Amino acid sequence: MRLLILLGIIYLCYRALKSWMLQGRSPRKTVFGNTAGEIDDVMIKDPFCEIYFPKKDGVHLRIDGKDLYFCSKECRDKFVEKYSKK
Ligand SMILES: [Zn+2]
C-alpha cells in the first residue's frame, strides 16, 4: 500500500517537472504586431511611412479587426485618410 502512494508521489513529481520543463523550453513568441501587450520591446513597421520603431512608442489603431501601429499620430491620420478614400 505504501509503495502505491510512493509511486503516486513520484508520478506527480514527474508530471510537475515535465510541465515545468516544457514551460521553460517553449520559445518566446516573436510575432510582429500580433499580440498586443504581451511583447512591448519589439520593433514594428509603420504601414504608412515604412519606418521601424519600438511598438511601445507606437500609436495604436484598430481597423477592420487588425491592430496597426504608427510612428506618429500624423502617420495614423494620413493612413486613415488614405484608407477611407479607397
Ligand atoms: Zn510614420
Side-chain angles (χ1 to χ4, degrees), residues 7-21:
L7 275 173
I9 291 164
I10 289 168
Y11 179 70
L12 282 174
C13 285
Y14 171 74
R15 289 256 327 243
L17 197 73
K18 202 178 170 187
S19 67
W20 176 75
M21 272 173 71

PDB file of all heavy atoms in Angstrom, residues 7-21:
ATOM      1  N   LEU A   7       4.607   5.643  -5.402  1.00  0.00           N
ATOM      2  CA  LEU A   7       4.558   5.698  -6.860  1.00  0.00           C
ATOM      3  C   LEU A   7       3.722   6.897  -7.327  1.00  0.00           C
ATOM      4  O   LEU A   7       4.078   7.590  -8.275  1.00  0.00           O
ATOM      5  CB  LEU A   7       3.956   4.402  -7.421  1.00  0.00           C
ATOM      6  CG  LEU A   7       4.947   3.243  -7.606  1.00  0.00           C
ATOM      7  CD1 LEU A   7       4.208   1.981  -7.988  1.00  0.00           C
ATOM      8  CD2 LEU A   7       5.998   3.568  -8.649  1.00  0.00           C
ATOM      9  N   GLY A   8       2.634   7.119  -6.613  1.00  0.00           N
ATOM     10  CA  GLY A   8       1.756   8.261  -6.922  1.00  0.00           C
ATOM     11  C   GLY A   8       2.500   9.579  -6.771  1.00  0.00           C
ATOM     12  O   GLY A   8       2.411  10.451  -7.632  1.00  0.00           O
ATOM     13  N   ILE A   9       3.256   9.690  -5.700  1.00  0.00           N
ATOM     14  CA  ILE A   9       4.032  10.917  -5.442  1.00  0.00           C
ATOM     15  C   ILE A   9       5.098  11.101  -6.527  1.00  0.00           C
ATOM     16  O   ILE A   9       5.268  12.191  -7.075  1.00  0.00           O
ATOM     17  CB  ILE A   9       4.669  10.874  -4.019  1.00  0.00           C
ATOM     18  CG1 ILE A   9       3.566  10.983  -2.954  1.00  0.00           C
ATOM     19  CG2 ILE A   9       5.680  11.998  -3.845  1.00  0.00           C
ATOM     20  CD1 ILE A   9       4.000  10.585  -1.562  1.00  0.00           C
ATOM     21  N   ILE A  10       5.770  10.024  -6.860  1.00  0.00           N
ATOM     22  CA  ILE A  10       6.807  10.081  -7.903  1.00  0.00           C
ATOM     23  C   ILE A  10       6.170  10.506  -9.235  1.00  0.00           C
ATOM     24  O   ILE A  10       6.710  11.351  -9.953  1.00  0.00           O
ATOM     25  CB  ILE A  10       7.531   8.714  -8.030  1.00  0.00           C
ATOM     26  CG1 ILE A  10       8.425   8.493  -6.798  1.00  0.00           C
ATOM     27  CG2 ILE A  10       8.373   8.665  -9.306  1.00  0.00           C
ATOM     28  CD1 ILE A  10       8.962   7.076  -6.682  1.00  0.00           C
ATOM     29  N   TYR A  11       5.016   9.944  -9.515  1.00  0.00           N
ATOM     30  CA  TYR A  11       4.327  10.284 -10.763  1.00  0.00           C
ATOM     31  C   TYR A  11       3.964  11.773 -10.802  1.00  0.00           C
ATOM     32  O   TYR A  11       4.180  12.460 -11.798  1.00  0.00           O
ATOM     33  CB  TYR A  11       3.069   9.412 -10.902  1.00  0.00           C
ATOM     34  CG  TYR A  11       2.274   9.715 -12.139  1.00  0.00           C
ATOM     35  CD1 TYR A  11       2.765   9.384 -13.402  1.00  0.00           C
ATOM     36  CD2 TYR A  11       1.033  10.349 -12.052  1.00  0.00           C
ATOM     37  CE1 TYR A  11       2.040   9.670 -14.545  1.00  0.00           C
ATOM     38  CE2 TYR A  11       0.308  10.641 -13.184  1.00  0.00           C
ATOM     39  CZ  TYR A  11       0.805  10.300 -14.428  1.00  0.00           C
ATOM     40  OH  TYR A  11       0.087  10.586 -15.545  1.00  0.00           O
ATOM     41  N   LEU A  12       3.440  12.268  -9.687  1.00  0.00           N
ATOM     42  CA  LEU A  12       3.066  13.693  -9.602  1.00  0.00           C
ATOM     43  C   LEU A  12       4.291  14.595  -9.772  1.00  0.00           C
ATOM     44  O   LEU A  12       4.239  15.604 -10.472  1.00  0.00           O
ATOM     45  CB  LEU A  12       2.380  13.990  -8.267  1.00  0.00           C
ATOM     46  CG  LEU A  12       0.907  13.570  -8.166  1.00  0.00           C
ATOM     47  CD1 LEU A  12       0.399  13.781  -6.751  1.00  0.00           C
ATOM     48  CD2 LEU A  12       0.036  14.335  -9.154  1.00  0.00           C
ATOM     49  N   CYS A  13       5.390  14.195  -9.141  1.00  0.00           N
ATOM     50  CA  CYS A  13       6.641  14.949  -9.267  1.00  0.00           C
ATOM     51  C   CYS A  13       7.103  14.953 -10.709  1.00  0.00           C
ATOM     52  O   CYS A  13       7.520  15.980 -11.243  1.00  0.00           O
ATOM     53  CB  CYS A  13       7.735  14.332  -8.380  1.00  0.00           C
ATOM     54  SG  CYS A  13       7.496  14.716  -6.648  1.00  0.00           S
ATOM     55  N   TYR A  14       6.990  13.810 -11.340  1.00  0.00           N
ATOM     56  CA  TYR A  14       7.406  13.672 -12.735  1.00  0.00           C
ATOM     57  C   TYR A  14       6.562  14.584 -13.631  1.00  0.00           C
ATOM     58  O   TYR A  14       7.085  15.297 -14.476  1.00  0.00           O
ATOM     59  CB  TYR A  14       7.259  12.200 -13.151  1.00  0.00           C
ATOM     60  CG  TYR A  14       7.442  11.969 -14.634  1.00  0.00           C
ATOM     61  CD1 TYR A  14       8.708  12.022 -15.223  1.00  0.00           C
ATOM     62  CD2 TYR A  14       6.343  11.700 -15.445  1.00  0.00           C
ATOM     63  CE1 TYR A  14       8.872  11.816 -16.574  1.00  0.00           C
ATOM     64  CE2 TYR A  14       6.498  11.503 -16.801  1.00  0.00           C
ATOM     65  CZ  TYR A  14       7.769  11.556 -17.371  1.00  0.00           C
ATOM     66  OH  TYR A  14       7.915  11.361 -18.709  1.00  0.00           O
ATOM     67  N   ARG A  15       5.235  14.582 -13.399  1.00  0.00           N
ATOM     68  CA  ARG A  15       4.324  15.432 -14.189  1.00  0.00           C
ATOM     69  C   ARG A  15       4.653  16.912 -13.998  1.00  0.00           C
ATOM     70  O   ARG A  15       4.690  17.692 -14.946  1.00  0.00           O
ATOM     71  CB  ARG A  15       2.858  15.185 -13.770  1.00  0.00           C
ATOM     72  CG  ARG A  15       2.311  13.862 -14.190  1.00  0.00           C
ATOM     73  CD  ARG A  15       1.365  13.901 -15.378  1.00  0.00           C
ATOM     74  NE  ARG A  15       0.542  15.089 -15.506  1.00  0.00           N
ATOM     75  CZ  ARG A  15      -0.788  15.090 -15.440  1.00  0.00           C
ATOM     76  NH1 ARG A  15      -1.442  13.985 -15.162  1.00  0.00           N
ATOM     77  NH2 ARG A  15      -1.460  16.191 -15.653  1.00  0.00           N
ATOM     78  N   ALA A  16       4.865  17.299 -12.745  1.00  0.00           N
ATOM     79  CA  ALA A  16       5.172  18.694 -12.427  1.00  0.00           C
ATOM     80  C   ALA A  16       6.474  19.127 -13.090  1.00  0.00           C
ATOM     81  O   ALA A  16       6.562  20.195 -13.690  1.00  0.00           O
ATOM     82  CB  ALA A  16       5.268  18.881 -10.919  1.00  0.00           C
ATOM     83  N   LEU A  17       7.467  18.238 -12.989  1.00  0.00           N
ATOM     84  CA  LEU A  17       8.778  18.526 -13.567  1.00  0.00           C
ATOM     85  C   LEU A  17       8.674  18.639 -15.083  1.00  0.00           C
ATOM     86  O   LEU A  17       9.250  19.541 -15.702  1.00  0.00           O
ATOM     87  CB  LEU A  17       9.742  17.396 -13.199  1.00  0.00           C
ATOM     88  CG  LEU A  17      11.230  17.723 -13.369  1.00  0.00           C
ATOM     89  CD1 LEU A  17      11.683  18.666 -12.272  1.00  0.00           C
ATOM     90  CD2 LEU A  17      12.067  16.453 -13.330  1.00  0.00           C
ATOM     91  N   LYS A  18       7.891  17.752 -15.675  1.00  0.00           N
ATOM     92  CA  LYS A  18       7.734  17.741 -17.129  1.00  0.00           C
ATOM     93  C   LYS A  18       7.062  19.022 -17.626  1.00  0.00           C
ATOM     94  O   LYS A  18       7.521  19.642 -18.590  1.00  0.00           O
ATOM     95  CB  LYS A  18       6.903  16.518 -17.537  1.00  0.00           C
ATOM     96  CG  LYS A  18       7.130  16.133 -18.981  1.00  0.00           C
ATOM     97  CD  LYS A  18       6.334  14.888 -19.327  1.00  0.00           C
ATOM     98  CE  LYS A  18       6.361  14.633 -20.818  1.00  0.00           C
ATOM     99  NZ  LYS A  18       5.467  13.523 -21.166  1.00  0.00           N
ATOM    100  N   SER A  19       5.985  19.418 -16.950  1.00  0.00           N
ATOM    101  CA  SER A  19       5.280  20.636 -17.369  1.00  0.00           C
ATOM    102  C   SER A  19       6.153  21.871 -17.144  1.00  0.00           C
ATOM    103  O   SER A  19       6.147  22.801 -17.948  1.00  0.00           O
ATOM    104  CB  SER A  19       3.956  20.777 -16.620  1.00  0.00           C
ATOM    105  OG  SER A  19       4.194  21.011 -15.252  1.00  0.00           O
ATOM    106  N   TRP A  20       6.950  21.837 -16.071  1.00  0.00           N
ATOM    107  CA  TRP A  20       7.867  22.945 -15.776  1.00  0.00           C
ATOM    108  C   TRP A  20       8.933  23.048 -16.862  1.00  0.00           C
ATOM    109  O   TRP A  20       9.254  24.126 -17.352  1.00  0.00           O
ATOM    110  CB  TRP A  20       8.512  22.719 -14.410  1.00  0.00           C
ATOM    111  CG  TRP A  20       9.541  23.740 -14.056  1.00  0.00           C
ATOM    112  CD1 TRP A  20       9.305  25.011 -13.654  1.00  0.00           C
ATOM    113  CD2 TRP A  20      10.961  23.581 -14.095  1.00  0.00           C
ATOM    114  NE1 TRP A  20      10.498  25.659 -13.441  1.00  0.00           N
ATOM    115  CE2 TRP A  20      11.521  24.812 -13.706  1.00  0.00           C
ATOM    116  CE3 TRP A  20      11.796  22.523 -14.433  1.00  0.00           C
ATOM    117  CZ2 TRP A  20      12.903  25.001 -13.642  1.00  0.00           C
ATOM    118  CZ3 TRP A  20      13.160  22.718 -14.352  1.00  0.00           C
ATOM    119  CH2 TRP A  20      13.700  23.949 -13.962  1.00  0.00           C
ATOM    120  N   MET A  21       9.449  21.875 -17.271  1.00  0.00           N
ATOM    121  CA  MET A  21      10.471  21.863 -18.309  1.00  0.00           C
ATOM    122  C   MET A  21       9.904  22.325 -19.650  1.00  0.00           C
ATOM    123  O   MET A  21      10.558  23.048 -20.394  1.00  0.00           O
ATOM    124  CB  MET A  21      11.056  20.458 -18.457  1.00  0.00           C
ATOM    125  CG  MET A  21      12.231  20.243 -17.504  1.00  0.00           C
ATOM    126  SD  MET A  21      12.826  18.563 -17.485  1.00  0.00           S
ATOM    127  CE  MET A  21      13.597  18.473 -19.082  1.00  0.00           C
TER     128      MET A  21
END
